[in-house]
Amino acid sequence: MSWISALADLQQQGEACVLVTIIEERGSTPRNAGSKMVVTAERIFETIGGGHLEYKAMEMAREMLATRSQDTRLERFSLGASLGQCCGGATVLLFEPMGQPQAQIAVFGAGHVGRALVPLLASLPCKVRWIDSRENEFPEHIPAGAQKVANDEVVDEVENMPPGSYYIVMTHNHQLDLELTAAILKRGDFAYYGLIGSKTKRVKFEHRLRERGFEEALMARMRCPMGLAEVKGKLPVEIAVSIAGEVIATYNASFGQDVKKGESSVAKLLPASRRS
């Protein structure tokens, strides 16, 4: 895949990357000025010549991705003994971060509230995985920005989410809600966990979770009932708006912090121009 096609695909998928460009060459070099390479956390597209130069460039690009750096960077390399390349020339590389870090949201349940909520979340600059074991519960049209996941082993999908993800559980089965809750709390690296239900449901779940050895501090991070208390009403769309509002409030409050086990944090979705 060409670098420009890769950039377009990655932008559509919401995946951050770094564009590496040779902007200057002196002497003998493996590729000419203007050569480009796209680097993601796991893949590369195109090449700037291979060898140790390319390895060092990939290492630097992935460090930028890991630290969520949005600053461009210039680096000069001598292609001699220090890089183990026999070209003997020199090259200058430009590193350009592309794409903002995005929140990853897992919505478990394709019932009435799920069908009202997912289009709202999908309209935000985030990636939504909409998960249910019941294929026929999903609507015919899945909103752009959301991925349908029909899996009989719903709980397995918890492990498929990256650290710092948002989890929203609203399935048709209380026991499944409990198993999902246990799996999410066991990970402990979520930015937000919301469980649909009443205060009574929360008390019952906390009792069962204590029996499984979960600590009070971890259970306290669970939002149940979830959603903004100021948004009243029991219609699916009213509940969905309440939950979406709480999700937005959460990521707005915690931009730029690293997510560690036992903490709640994720990159804010708003562009820099709208942060205050």
Side-chain angles (χ1 to χ4, degrees):
M1 182 183 292
S2 69
W3 66 268
I4 195 165
S5 296
L7 278 183
D9 282 357
L10 292 168
Q11 182 178 19
Q12 184 175 11
Q13 297 165 18
E15 184 174 352
C17 64
V18 175
L19 177 63
V20 183
T21 306
I22 299 177
I23 63 169
E24 185 179 342
E25 53 173 318
R26 293 186 180 180
S28 179
T29 60
R31 294 293 303 273
N32 296 329
S35 299
K36 298 179 184 292
M37 173 176 71
V38 176
V39 181
T40 74
E42 297 178 349
R43 297 174 289 170
I44 64 167
F45 303 90
E46 293 275 18
T47 179
I48 55 170
H52 203 190
L53 170 66
E54 187 162 292
Y55 173 81
K56 290 295 292 183
M58 290 166 51
E59 189 177 57
M60 290 180 176
R62 285 175 176 155
E63 179 186 358
M64 294 172 70
L65 290 170
T67 59
R68 297 174 180 163
S69 172
Q70 293 298 310
D71 298 324
T72 56
R73 177 174 175 180
L74 280 174
E75 294 288 343
R76 185 181 188 278
F77 298 89
S78 296
L79 306 180
S82 61
L83 281 180
Q85 295 189 213
C86 58
C87 302
T91 187
V92 177
L93 301 183
L94 172 65
F95 295 79
E96 298 177 276
M98 299 286 176
Q100 297 284 340
Q102 293 185 326
Q104 311 277 328
I105 304 177
V107 177
F108 293 90
H112 295 299
V113 178
R115 290 195 291 271
L117 175 62
V118 167
L120 294 176
L121 298 178
S123 66
L124 299 170
C126 62
K127 294 176 69 175
V128 180
R129 286 172 60 82
W130 193 6
I131 304 158
D132 202 303
S133 61
R134 306 164 298 167
E135 173 78 35
N136 61 349
E137 285 297 315
F138 290 101
E140 182 177 346
H141 174 69
I142 303 299
Q147 176 189 4
K148 181 182 78 173
V149 180
N151 185 349
D152 289 336
E153 303 299 328
V154 172
V155 179
D156 290 350
E157 291 297 327
V158 172
E159 286 302 315
N160 291 333
M161 298 298 292
S165 293
Y166 288 77
Y167 297 88
I168 298 171
V169 171
M170 48 178 65
T171 79
H172 61 292
N173 185 294
H174 275 222
Q175 185 60 36
L176 179 56
D177 283 355
L178 179 63
E179 297 307 321
L180 284 166
T181 299
I184 293 164
L185 294 183
K186 184 177 179 181
R187 281 196 59 158
D189 59 358
F190 53 91
Y192 172 88
Y193 172 43
L195 170 66
I196 199 165
S198 63
K199 292 181 180 179
T200 301
K201 180 177 180 178
R202 182 187 185 104
V203 170
K204 290 181 179 179
F205 271 42
E206 286 183 341
H207 175 70
R208 295 180 183 179
L209 291 167
R210 284 191 199 96
E211 291 179 339
R212 299 190 187 192
F214 286 94
E215 296 180 356
E216 296 292 336
L218 187 58
M219 292 188 292
R221 295 176 55 205
M222 175 176 69
R223 295 288 299 167
C224 180
M226 64 174 157
L228 300 176
E230 294 82 1
V231 180
K232 308 295 183 181
K234 297 183 178 180
L235 293 175
V237 68
E238 292 171 326
I239 298 170
V241 167
S242 173
I243 296 168
E246 186 168 81
V247 167
I248 294 169
T250 301
Y251 69 60
N252 278 350
S254 52
F255 171 71
Q257 302 174 26
D258 292 328
V259 176
K260 299 178 181 178
K261 203 173 182 72
E263 295 182 351
S264 237
S265 175
V266 77
K268 183 167 72 174
L269 305 185
L270 291 176
S273 61
R274 291 178 59 193
R275 297 175 197 152
S276 59

